[in-house]
Amino acid sequence: MNCEKADKLLMDSLMGALGAEERRDLDEHLASCERCGEEAAEMETLWHELGRLDDSRSEVPSDRLTRRFRLALADFETNLHETSRPRFSEWWAGLWTARPAWQAAFSAAVLVMGVLLGAGLNSRQSLNEELDELRAEIETMSRAVTVSLLKHQSASERLRAVSWSRMSGGDDKVLAALLDSARSDPNVNVRLAAVDALAGYADQGSVRASLMDNLELEKSPLVQLAVLEAVAGDEGLRNGELQRLKEASEVDQTLLDYYAAQAESL
Amino acid sequence: MPVITTEDGNGSGGEQRVNQPEDLELMIAVQQGEVGKMGTLFERHHARIYNFCHRMTGSQAASEDLVQEAFMRALKYRQTFRGDADFLPWLYRLARNVCNDYFEKNQRFPITGEDLPEGVSPDPSALDNAQQKEQVCLLREALLRLPVERREVLILSRFEYRHYDEIAQLLGCSVGAVKVRVHRAMNQLRETYRELLKESES
């Protein structure tokens, strides 16, 4: 046995982990090698001194330690029993956290429902909005078409424009264009159609005044009759209107006589 | 020629082996909800764990806190105990962790001999003379000056009366590694002790 091996076995010897044969070899080496012998003696002393550290101190922990642990254990036990009987909310919360698959499914269902509901509401709303927008666009377009068509060269196109004007409602621009046509369109049929279209708005002050003004210029008795029918309606001419017409030489005498007789009968 | 005395070093180990099945039963009962049975395990082992903590820290007050903490952790982490392992090594591992946490939290190294409370200083009547008393104090200080890992392995091998294989199981390393560590720890203890002796002589 060499010194290195002896050094290794020394600790095993102190730990009581040596076999009989190994111990005999070690003892032989320590007896023959002075340096290893001294070192082994020092280590052995240290090992035993280390053991005596324990002999000289109180080994037993105080009773306070046991009492403290008993109290802590009782606390722990109480808390454990309290938490082992869960209230409904805790049971529910436990179920919620214990089933991630359910959580995911429920969340997904809510999400899908939300998306569908939102899409449904939005689409209905946006459909209505779009329809309104379309309607407004069509009206604007028909007005523009009406106004521009009323200035068309072809009389038949101007007639079509008058019939279009009925679709675009009582827009100021359309009415103004119609009044213009009723007054100055060179074609009698267009003037007649325009007056016919304006008949519905004859109760509006400005339309009525414009139509009355037309009578002073209008030479066609047909148009004169149409205007007078539109203005007078069932109620007849208003005070002063017949007098004004009598002074205007253009209006046909037969028509004037007819309306004078009507005014008297009313 | 120096006489190498050998000791079994496992006086309490034999007794422990008889008790172990019961430890295991108690611990399994604790795991299954009968946490009160930890009280029996405490009665049985708290002195051991206390001594380990006391040797590691050198402080009686701190050791009592550490024992309490170790057993509370045993309760809290009772489900981490594996039924196929022994109870005591598991408890020692908890105690080691508690001690390490204590050293981390308290930054400074374990208290030295001067800090030892009077209650744990050597009883003078048990010692032959003043010189021996001083030597015991110096050795205690040398032990406390060792790095935690070396002090730990030395305490386990010298005071806890354990076999190499038991220490290896506890530390989670091989028997060879334990032998190397004990050897190095003893050599360092000797060096430190020598230095302290020289200082006190001069």
Side-chain angles (χ1 to χ4, degrees), chain B residues 142-161:
Chain B
L143 181 64
L144 288 173
R145 282 192 186 186
L146 291 185
V148 176
E149 307 80 42
R150 291 196 175 169
R151 185 165 68 255
E152 178 182 65
V153 82
L154 213 51
I155 285 169
L156 287 172
S157 56
R158 183 64 187 97
F159 301 115
E160 309 293 323
Y161 303 104

Side-chain angles (χ1 to χ4, degrees), chain A residues 7-8 10-18 23 26-28 30-31 36-44 46-70 72-73 76-77 80-81, chain B residues 1-8 33 35-36 38-39 42-43 46-47 50-51 54-55 64-65 67-68 71-72 75-76 78 119-123 127 132 136 139-140 143 154 157-159 162 164 167 179 182-183 186-187 189-190 193-194:
Chain A
D7 184 45
K8 274 186 185 167
L10 184 59
M11 264 323 294
D12 291 355
S13 166
L14 294 174
M15 285 285 286
L18 273 191
R23 181 172 309 150
L26 179 64
D27 285 348
E28 274 176 17
L30 294 179
C36 286
E38 280 174 11
E39 188 162 319
E42 192 184 5
M43 283 298 230
E44 190 201 355
L46 198 61
W47 190 250
H48 284 283
E49 288 292 323
L50 211 53
R52 280 176 62 178
L53 287 184
D54 252 20
D55 299 338
S56 62
R57 81 157 120 213
S58 64
E59 285 291 319
V60 189
S62 67
D63 290 342
R64 199 181 48 161
L65 177 58
T66 311
R67 282 201 302 276
R68 256 177 74 193
F69 182 73
R70 288 258 169 233
L73 181 62
F76 188 88
E77 221 172 339
L80 198 71
H81 286 308
Chain B
M1 166 189 157
V3 180
I4 305 293
T5 52
T6 57
E7 54 190 21
D8 185 357
V35 291
M38 187 58 89
F42 180 86
E43 292 291 346
H46 80 282
Y50 169 82
N51 281 328
H54 195 179
R55 287 166 190 135
E64 293 198 351
D65 289 344
V67 171
Q68 172 93 0
F71 276 93
M72 289 317 286
L75 279 174
K76 193 175 170 187
R78 60 193 182 282
V120 293
S121 63
D123 180 4
L127 300 169
Q132 259 190 337
V136 167
L139 187 58
R140 195 192 301 282
L143 181 64
L154 213 51
S157 56
R158 183 64 187 97
F159 301 115
R162 304 198 138 253
Y164 281 137
I167 299 168
K179 284 187 179 185
V182 173
H183 194 261
M186 268 305 277
N187 282 335
L189 181 72
R190 185 181 57 185
Y193 181 55
R194 276 179 186 167

Side-chain angles (χ1 to χ4, degrees), chain B residues 90-147:
Chain B
W90 182 70
L91 186 61
Y92 260 103
R93 274 199 291 277
L94 290 174
R96 283 178 69 211
N97 291 340
V98 168
C99 286
N100 285 337
D101 289 353
Y102 168 81
F103 291 137
E104 268 178 35
K105 206 187 285 177
N106 288 274
Q107 284 298 321
R108 72 182 190 143
F109 222 55
I111 56 174
T112 54
E114 287 91 9
D115 297 326
L116 286 175
E118 269 182 46
V120 293
S121 63
D123 180 4
S125 64
L127 300 169
D128 294 346
N129 52 44
Q131 196 194 353
Q132 259 190 337
K133 182 185 167 189
E134 195 190 348
Q135 280 179 359
V136 167
C137 282
L138 290 178
L139 187 58
R140 195 192 301 282
E141 179 149 353
L143 181 64
L144 288 173
R145 282 192 186 186
L146 291 185

Side-chain angles (χ1 to χ4, degrees), chain A residues 207-223:
Chain A
V207 175
R208 191 186 181 94
S210 298
L211 284 173
M212 289 300 285
D213 290 344
N214 281 2
L215 284 173
E216 293 171 16
L217 302 169
E218 186 54 63
K219 292 186 172 60
S220 163
L222 275 173
V223 180

Side-chain angles (χ1 to χ4, degrees), chain A residues 19-170:
Chain A
E21 199 181 330
E22 278 178 319
R23 181 172 309 150
R24 200 179 58 237
D25 288 351
L26 179 64
D27 285 348
E28 274 176 17
H29 177 79
L30 294 179
S32 62
C33 176
E34 198 183 339
R35 202 169 67 96
C36 286
E38 280 174 11
E39 188 162 319
E42 192 184 5
M43 283 298 230
E44 190 201 355
T45 310
L46 198 61
W47 190 250
H48 284 283
E49 288 292 323
L50 211 53
R52 280 176 62 178
L53 287 184
D54 252 20
D55 299 338
S56 62
R57 81 157 120 213
S58 64
E59 285 291 319
V60 189
S62 67
D63 290 342
R64 199 181 48 161
L65 177 58
T66 311
R67 282 201 302 276
R68 256 177 74 193
F69 182 73
R70 288 258 169 233
L71 283 174
L73 181 62
D75 261 11
F76 188 88
E77 221 172 339
T78 314
N79 287 338
L80 198 71
H81 286 308
E82 271 175 13
T83 50
S84 65
R85 266 185 269 108
R87 280 169 292 183
F88 175 75
S89 59
E90 284 165 349
W91 170 81
W92 178 247
L95 191 72
W96 183 242
T97 49
R99 307 265 171 92
W102 281 110
Q103 277 178 43
F106 185 74
S107 304
V110 168
L111 184 70
V112 168
M113 261 170 63
V115 166
L116 287 179
L117 208 68
L121 281 174
N122 271 337
S123 67
R124 199 170 295 168
Q125 210 172 2
S126 63
L127 200 69
N128 284 340
E129 278 172 13
E130 275 175 21
L131 271 175
D132 286 343
E133 275 176 23
L134 273 171
R135 214 170 274 145
E137 265 180 35
I138 285 173
E139 274 179 17
T140 315
M141 256 173 64
S142 67
R143 277 174 217 145
V145 166
T146 305
V147 171
S148 62
L149 270 183
L150 282 171
K151 294 182 170 65
H152 202 275
Q153 278 193 331
S154 157
S156 62
E157 291 297 329
R158 293 203 295 279
L159 271 174
R160 192 184 291 170
V162 172
S163 66
W164 268 73
S165 73
R166 293 174 195 274
M167 284 168 62
S168 57

